[in-house]
Amino acid sequence: MSLEDQVLKFLTDISRKEEEIEYLIVNMFKPQLESKGVKLAKIKREFFIDDEGILRIGFSLPIMYYEEGDEIYLFLAKNYADYSTIEQLLIREKILKNKFSKKVRSFLIVFAIPKKYYDLALKLGIEAISEKIIS
């Protein structure tokens, strides 16, 4: 097998495991999330089609969330967060607001995040949970 084939196989395998990795990260922060009232058993991961042109009409985006009462709980789990991660969460938030017409409570769950992005997330109303805030 060529190096290109090996890299392609690796990337394909990783993308198949993406959902498992996201749930693993969420579960690793179970105590912190439960202390904020999150019901982990309700979290689901579904693909939403952008039919409003928020990103691009027809674009499919995986979103972890659950609906409870008049709120939507949105989750983005990553190993590291930066500006683009916050942007990804804001795009998902807008898609859910448009789809459900409900208040969205957003959670950014990461192992590490630079302090300036942690502060930005909080300023934007995102509940950031991290193992390490990098100075």
Side-chain angles (χ1 to χ4, degrees):
M1 184 182 286
S2 73
L3 178 58
E4 281 182 9
D5 289 339
Q6 289 176 15
V7 169
L8 182 59
K9 182 184 180 323
F10 173 77
L11 293 174
T12 302
D13 290 346
I14 288 295
S15 67
R16 287 186 188 132
K17 297 288 185 184
E18 181 181 9
E19 182 175 356
E20 292 175 32
I21 292 168
E22 288 176 351
Y23 277 109
L24 175 67
I25 293 170
V26 166
N27 282 309
M28 291 182 77
F29 290 93
K30 181 179 178 178
Q32 295 93 323
L33 288 164
E34 286 180 338
S35 75
K36 294 180 176 285
V38 172
K39 297 175 181 157
L40 272 68
K42 289 187 156 194
I43 298 173
K44 56 188 170 185
R45 185 177 187 264
E46 294 180 353
F47 281 85
F48 284 81
I49 304 296
D50 181 0
D51 53 8
E52 301 276 334
I54 293 166
L55 205 53
R56 177 161 292 182
I57 290 181
F59 189 79
S60 177
L61 200 61
I63 300 179
M64 291 182 74
Y65 77 102
Y66 73 87
E67 184 178 1
E68 183 167 270
D70 59 348
E71 276 189 321
I72 304 291
Y73 290 72
L74 168 64
F75 306 89
L76 186 61
K78 300 280 184 181
N79 65 339
Y80 178 84
D82 58 13
Y83 189 84
S84 66
T85 312
I86 293 170
E87 183 179 44
Q88 290 173 34
L89 187 59
L90 293 173
I91 289 166
R92 285 164 168 79
E93 183 178 294
K94 194 167 186 179
I95 287 171
L96 290 179
K97 278 182 182 176
N98 285 350
K99 174 131 180 103
F100 294 101
S101 299
K102 293 184 177 188
K103 179 181 184 269
V104 177
R105 189 171 167 196
S106 299
F107 292 86
L108 177 61
I109 308 156
V110 296
F111 288 117
I113 184 170
K115 181 161 179 19
K116 67 180 179 180
Y117 298 123
Y118 179 83
D119 292 342
L120 176 61
L122 296 179
K123 182 179 176 184
L124 294 171
I126 297 168
E127 298 185 51
I129 300 171
S130 180
E131 181 77 21
K132 182 169 180 68
I133 298 171
I134 303 165
S135 298

